[in-house]
Amino acid sequence: MKANDKRKERGDRARANILHHATQIASVEGLEGLTFGRVAADAGVARGNVQVLFGDREALQLATIENGVALYAETVVGPAMALPTAAERLIALIEGWFTFVEHRTLPGGCLVHALSSEYRTRPGEIRDRVEHHRAEARQRIVDLANEAVTAGELQGGIDVGLLAFELTSYQASANVAALMGEPDQFELARRASRERLAAARGL
């Protein structure tokens, strides 16, 4: 292996380690909890290393968002989208979200839901990035629901926009309930999601 390749590999490992710890912190404390010093201490590296790899604090915050979204995609979205039918993919996507939060894949639950609250009144690139991922998640539900309607797996005439709104609203409530130590409310949101999907299927 060439020296440049080895340096790149070391840099990639260092970046992944830092982002792992940054994402853990951000899921609990928000992006405002991210400082070079705090992340460096958690990751066991020098503060200067974090600064060299990310440049400035906002770059670290933006990279942390993308890392959290990538973790969710790998854990939930990828397996769900590999299923054979649109209805199965939709059900697995919604169930997977609840499992992701329940198992504390990130200690603070769903990063995008948490950051939506943190940055809802703070315009800028971070808010734009969070809103992009919120919209992406909603659209994924809409697209799967439309596909399922076309395939006859969901009832015809269903308002897929309303369905997506309801399902993401249950998630928002469940994420708060999980963090507040309200398992009954978390399970209520999960049950409501299951019942809404069953009704959409005509069951």
Side-chain angles (χ1 to χ4, degrees), residues 60-150:
L60 173 62
Q61 291 170 323
L62 290 168
T64 297
I65 295 170
E66 297 308 313
N67 191 64
V69 170
L71 175 63
Y72 176 74
E74 178 183 355
T75 307
V76 177
V77 179
M81 298 303 281
L83 294 174
T85 71
E88 287 176 309
R89 292 194 289 274
L90 179 57
I91 291 167
L93 186 69
I94 300 305
E95 287 288 341
W97 183 92
F98 281 94
T99 300
F100 183 90
V101 174
E102 182 179 41
H103 289 178
R104 291 297 195 271
T105 310
L106 287 173
C110 178
L111 183 64
V112 171
H113 276 293
L115 297 182
S116 297
S117 296
E118 185 182 3
Y119 280 87
R120 66 190 183 278
T121 60
R122 300 171 61 181
E125 188 173 357
I126 291 175
R127 184 183 186 279
D128 291 346
R129 189 74 59 87
V130 172
E131 178 53 35
H132 165 77
H133 289 303
R134 279 169 53 84
E136 186 177 55
R138 285 194 303 268
Q139 192 60 47
R140 188 180 295 118
I141 294 172
V142 168
D143 290 345
L144 285 173
N146 277 323
E147 188 179 343
V149 169
T150 300

Side-chain angles (χ1 to χ4, degrees), residues 132-199:
H132 165 77
H133 289 303
R134 279 169 53 84
E136 186 177 55
R138 285 194 303 268
Q139 192 60 47
R140 188 180 295 118
I141 294 172
V142 168
D143 290 345
L144 285 173
N146 277 323
E147 188 179 343
V149 169
T150 300
E153 298 161 3
L154 293 185
Q155 292 184 314
I158 188 171
D159 187 334
V160 296
L162 179 59
L163 176 64
F165 172 80
E166 290 174 334
L167 292 173
T168 54
S169 295
Y170 295 144
Q171 289 177 352
S173 295
N175 202 61
V176 173
L179 300 183
M180 296 295 289
E182 299 172 345
D184 56 332
Q185 294 300 303
F186 182 86
E187 288 303 322
L188 185 63
R190 174 149 52 189
R191 189 172 81 239
S193 296
R194 289 172 176 169
E195 291 175 355
R196 183 66 182 90
L197 285 170

